[in-house]
Amino acid sequence: MPSPFSPVAHDAALEAIFVPFDTGELALPADGRVLFLRARDGFRLREMARKGWVCEQGFKPFAEALTRSGLHVAPPGGNELFPLVLVLPPRQRDEARALFAQALQRASEGGVVLAAVPNAEGAKSAEGDLASLAGPLHTLSKHKCRVFWTQPLGATMDRGLLDAWTVLDAPRLNDAGYVSRPGLFAWDRVDTASALLAEHLPADLAGRVADLGAGYGYLSAQLIARCPAVSSVDLYEAEARALEPARQNLERALSDSGRDVAFEVHWHDVTQGLPKRYDVVVSNPPFHQGRADLPELGRAFIDTAADALLPHGRFWLVANRHLPYEATLASRFNEVRAVVMQDGFKVIEARGVRA
C-alpha cells in the first residue's frame, strides 16, 4: 500500500533545484555522474536523472519511493566523489551544516555543489552557511525557493570550518543524557508526550515488545528500566540517522539494568506493517510531515499495531489530545481506555484485537 509518508505531489525545492539547468547557468557533467543528497522522488527528478546518478536518502519511505521510480539509491555515507552534488538541506541548522560539509567532501576537485531551500524554511541562512564553507555563490529565486551553488571547488573552501561542521552530525548526549543527533524528533531533550507515556507504562508489561517510530530509543530504554518481564524489544524507525543513537541507548539501558533483554533496531516504514507478532506495542506516532498535519500517519500506526499484536496483546499509545484516533482504535480493539490526559496529550491503552 502507498505510505502516508510519501513525498508531496508538489515539491517546490525539488523543482527549483533544476532551474539552473533550464536557464543554461549550469550544465550537467560530461561524464553524467551526479550525487543527490536527501533526494526526493518527483516527476522533475525522474525527467532529469540519467545513468550515473546516485541518490542518497536515509528516510525509509522516501528511499523506497525513489527505488520504485527506478532511481539508483545508495545508503548515506559513501565516499565516492562526483563532479556535481545536489542537496536538499533539512530545516535543522546543525544537521544542514553537517550535510553541506558532507556535500563538499563528496564533490571532486573543480566540482559544484547545488542546493535549493524554500524561503519559509531558512533559505537565507542556508545560503549563508554554504557561502561560509565554499566562498562566493551563484544564486537565483524560483518557486518561492532560493537556489544557490558554488564556484568550481578548490582553494576557496574553509577547511577548518569544514572539519568543524562535519562532526555536527555525530551522535552525542542530549540534555536528558540520551545519545541523539541534530534533526531527529526532539533530538536535544525528552519530548513531553513520550515522558508522559513512559511514566504510565505499567510494570506488568511482559514478553515481546515493539516500539513503533522509536526515534533515538527513549521509550524502549524506559520499558527495559520499568518492566522486568519484558523479554525482547524491536525498535522500528524510518529515519536511518536515529538507528545508531537508539542502539547505543538500548545498550546502556541494558547495562544499567543488569538484565539480558534481546533487542533489534530496524530501519522500517511502520505504515507498511511489521514482520513479527508481539505481546505489547508502544508508540508515540508522528502526526505531521514537514509543517502539515497528517493524522492518517497515526491511524496507520494504530492499524499496524493491531495487525501485529497477539490476541492477548496490549497497545499503549500517546498522542496530542486533539487528534481523532478514538474511532480507529474502537474499530480495531474491543477495549479502549484513556489512561490520562495531561499537558495537551492523552495516553491510551487498547486491548483485545478485533478479528
Side-chain angles (χ1 to χ4, degrees), residues 10-20 22-23 116-119 139-147:
H10 176 70
D11 189 329
L14 182 61
E15 292 187 16
I17 202 168
F18 295 113
V19 170
D22 298 335
T23 63
V117 181
N119 294 334
T139 66
L140 60 82
S141 295
K142 190 71 173 180
H143 303 306
K144 297 183 179 179
C145 297
R146 293 180 75 84
V147 184

Side-chain angles (χ1 to χ4, degrees), residues 315-353:
F315 180 36
W316 281 77
L317 166 79
V318 66
N320 285 55
R321 189 169 183 170
H322 73 276
L323 291 171
Y325 293 158
E326 282 75 10
T328 305
L329 287 161
S331 71
R332 299 304 312 270
F333 295 90
N334 292 314
E335 301 176 41
V336 178
R337 71 181 182 99
V339 177
V340 64
M341 292 193 182
Q342 182 179 315
D343 301 324
F345 300 100
K346 54 190 175 187
V347 172
I348 298 172
E349 181 190 21
R351 302 190 190 208
V353 178

Side-chain angles (χ1 to χ4, degrees), residues 273-332:
L274 303 184
K276 303 179 185 178
R277 304 292 296 280
Y278 295 94
D279 303 290
V280 179
V281 174
V282 300
S283 186
N284 177 6
F287 66 93
H288 61 271
Q289 184 173 317
R291 293 185 173 183
D293 276 4
L294 208 62
E296 54 263 41
L297 282 177
R299 289 192 283 266
F301 272 53
I302 292 168
D303 283 332
T304 292
D307 291 340
L309 278 166
L310 294 164
H312 64 270
R314 302 163 70 179
F315 180 36
W316 281 77
L317 166 79
V318 66
N320 285 55
R321 189 169 183 170
H322 73 276
L323 291 171
Y325 293 158
E326 282 75 10
T328 305
L329 287 161
S331 71
R332 299 304 312 270

Side-chain angles (χ1 to χ4, degrees), residues 38 76-77 90 92-102 105 162-172 179-184 187 239-242 244-245 248:
R38 305 291 176 95
Q92 207 285 331
R93 196 168 189 183
D94 279 355
E95 183 187 2
R97 285 175 165 176
L99 188 64
F100 281 142
Q102 180 191 352
Q105 291 168 331
L162 186 69
D163 292 342
W165 284 6
T166 297
V167 300
L168 290 176
D169 191 47
R172 67 179 88 164
V179 178
S180 185
R181 67 200 321 170
L184 301 182
W187 76 273
E239 177 50 64
R241 297 176 61 255
E244 181 56 29
Q248 292 185 32

